[in-house]
Amino acid sequence: NNNNNNNIDTAPSSSTLLKTAASAVIEQEENEALSMETFQHFIAHDETRTCSADKHARPFNNQIRGVNLGGWMVLEPWITPSLFYQFLDGDETNTAFDIYTFCQVLGPQEGNRQLRRHWDTWVTEQIIEELASSGAVNSIRLPVGDFMYIPYG
């Protein structure tokens, strides 16, 4: 006598499976039709990269076109590897991987000297002027560290 019959799941009948599949297909078709209705009034314009019915659309020359000045105020070894080559042979106490450890390992005088040279040469006024006059860029992203506002240590 097997008392486990109550725990055995019975497979749904083929008619139940067909009804479920048909229902899913109908629902998908309804969703696609709704989607087509919702977006059918948008007309793409390749030359301006806008859609005529999109209230947020702007011509390409009015869109944000920016450049990232990463690695200038926030050191990242993958952006400014030349600053970190000096630490290649160091162990965990003599290796820098960000601006905090850069100054920690080099000390305040040498860290400050190297950072000032970097800040003066990585991005110059001439570079900013060239970006502004090029017409290709109308915004600049400048990452800054929280340490500029809340000193560590």
Side-chain angles (χ1 to χ4, degrees), residues 25 40 78-80 141:
V25 167
Q40 72 182 3
W78 63 277
I79 296 177
T80 54
R141 178 180 180 267

Side-chain angles (χ1 to χ4, degrees), residues 45 48-60 62-63:
H45 304 288
T48 59
R49 299 176 192 253
T50 62
C51 293
S52 60
D54 185 351
K55 68 180 180 181
H56 302 291
R58 295 180 173 189
F60 180 75
N62 289 334
Q63 292 178 349

Side-chain angles (χ1 to χ4, degrees), residues 8-121:
I8 297 174
D9 290 329
T10 57
S13 68
S14 58
S15 64
T16 301
L17 288 173
L18 286 173
K19 287 178 187 176
T20 302
S23 176
V25 167
I26 291 169
E27 184 177 342
Q28 180 180 0
E29 287 174 352
E30 288 173 351
N31 287 340
E32 287 174 3
L34 178 62
S35 179
M36 292 298 285
E37 284 177 30
T38 303
F39 295 105
Q40 72 182 3
H41 62 280
F42 287 99
I43 301 168
H45 304 288
D46 290 337
E47 63 279 356
T48 59
R49 299 176 192 253
T50 62
C51 293
S52 60
D54 185 351
K55 68 180 180 181
H56 302 291
R58 295 180 173 189
F60 180 75
N61 61 354
N62 289 334
Q63 292 178 349
I64 294 174
R65 295 179 319 281
V67 65
N68 179 25
L69 299 181
W72 187 27
M73 297 293 159
V74 177
L75 296 186
E76 297 175 86
W78 63 277
I79 296 177
T80 54
S82 59
L83 289 171
F84 292 88
Y85 289 150
Q86 61 191 318
F87 306 112
L88 285 178
D89 293 328
D91 61 16
E92 62 271 359
T93 60
N94 295 320
T95 301
F97 52 87
D98 59 14
I99 200 165
Y100 180 81
T101 56
F102 186 88
C103 292
Q104 196 174 38
V105 172
L106 293 175
Q109 288 183 338
E110 183 59 18
N112 191 35
R113 186 187 70 74
Q114 288 189 30
L115 286 174
R116 287 190 180 278
R117 184 179 65 222
H118 171 69
W119 292 330
D120 289 343
T121 59

